[in-house]
Amino acid sequence: MTTSPLPLIDDAITESGPRKKRPDVLPGERKQVGMHILLTIAALYFLLPIWWLVVAGTKSTQGLFNGTGGPLWFDQNFALFDNIAQLATYNGGIYVRWLGNSFLYAFAGGVGATVLAVLAGYAFAKYRFRGRSISFMVLLASVMVPATALVIPTYVLFNNLGLTNTVWAVILPSLLSPFGVYLMRVYIQDAIPDELLDAARVDGSGEFRTFATIALPLMRPAIVTVLLLSVVGGWNNYFLPLAMLSDQTLLPVTVGLNTWQVQSNSATAGGLVWNLVTSGSLVSVIPLIIAFLLLQKYWQGGLSMGSIK
C-alpha cells in the first residue's frame, strides 16, 4: 500500500480555487509606513530651524561663522550665558525694554481681542437680529484680507488722529480678530444648546447672568484657544509696529532684533552683534513655548470641538 504526500498549504486546492500566499506587507500597513515617513519628514522640516536657533544661540559671533561644530552643532566655546549677560547690558539694556513692550502689546491686544471675539461670537450664534447674515459674511470676507494689506491704511488713519509712535498704534488694531469671532461663533453654536439658555431664562435669569454664569464657563476651551492665538499673533507682529513706531524705546522685540541685524549687516567688526540677534531670538520664543505647553489641552480641545483642524 502506497501513500501520496499531503499538498503544501500554498498548493492546497480549496472550494474557491487555489489558496493565495499571504503577502508579507498588507496594503494598509504599506500605507501606514508611507504616512510615518511623510510625518517624520514634516517634523524634521519644522524642528530643524528650532534646532538651528538653539545651537546658534549658544555661539559667539566668531563661532557662528568660524565655529568648529558647523551650523547644526555646538561650538567648543559655549557662549550662551555670556550672550544673555550681554543682552541685558548692551545699549543700556534696550533688549529688556523690547521684551517688556512685546509682553504689553501681545497681552493687551490678545486679551482685548478675546473679549471682543467672545461677545461678538455669542451674539452671532445665539441672537437673531436684522443684518446678521450679511454682517457675518462681511466678517468672513475680512478673514481673507491679509493683515499686511491693511497696515498702510491703518497708518494713515492713526496719523490723522495723532496716534502714531504711541503704544495705542499697536494695541488698538490688534483688538480686531475676525478669525477669533468666527471661531467663537462656530464653537458656541455647537457647544451651547439653545434649550439650556431658554431654561435659564424661564427660571428668571437675565441675559447678562445667563451669559456670565451658564454660557461663559462652557466657552473655556474656545476662549483659551482664541486668547493663545491672539497673543501669539501679537507677539510675532512685525510689519504693523515697524510702520507705526519710530521711537527705539517703544519697539517690540521682533522689530528691535531687526535693527540689530541691519546694524550688523552694515557695521564694522566692533558693531557686529550677530550673537545677540540669535540669542535674543532664542530667548524671545521661550515664553510662547511655555504658553503652548501649559495650555495645549485647552486650545487643542477648542480647535477640535470647533471643527477647525
Side-chain angles (χ1 to χ4, degrees), residues 150-164 240 243-244:
L150 301 176
V151 169
I152 300 304
T154 305
Y155 172 80
V156 174
L157 174 64
F158 277 72
N159 188 46
N160 292 334
L161 296 174
L163 292 176
T164 54
L240 178 65
M244 292 289 186

Side-chain angles (χ1 to χ4, degrees), residues 278-302:
T278 55
S279 57
S281 300
L282 177 62
V283 172
S284 68
V285 301
I286 291 177
L288 296 182
I289 294 175
I290 294 174
F292 267 103
L293 292 178
L294 293 178
L295 303 175
Q296 59 179 335
K297 65 177 182 180
Y298 294 105
W299 68 267
Q300 284 177 351

Side-chain angles (χ1 to χ4, degrees), residues 33-83:
V33 173
M35 184 61 67
H36 288 163
I37 295 175
L38 182 62
L39 291 176
T40 302
I41 295 174
L44 290 176
Y45 177 79
F46 287 105
L47 290 177
L48 190 61
I50 299 177
W51 173 250
W52 180 90
L53 180 62
V54 172
V55 172
T58 64
K59 296 181 179 179
S60 62
T61 297
Q62 184 179 2
L64 284 170
F65 297 99
N66 302 312
T68 57
L72 294 179
W73 196 247
F74 300 96
D75 190 31
Q76 287 182 344
N77 180 23
F78 189 81
L80 174 62
F81 300 109
D82 294 336
N83 292 340

Side-chain angles (χ1 to χ4, degrees), residues 15 27 30 34 39 66 93 97 121 142 164 172 184 197 207 300 305:
E15 294 181 354
R30 190 179 297 117
L39 291 176
N66 302 312
R97 182 66 180 266
S142 65
T164 54
L172 290 179
M184 290 303 305
L197 302 180
E207 291 298 324
Q300 284 177 351
M305 294 181 71

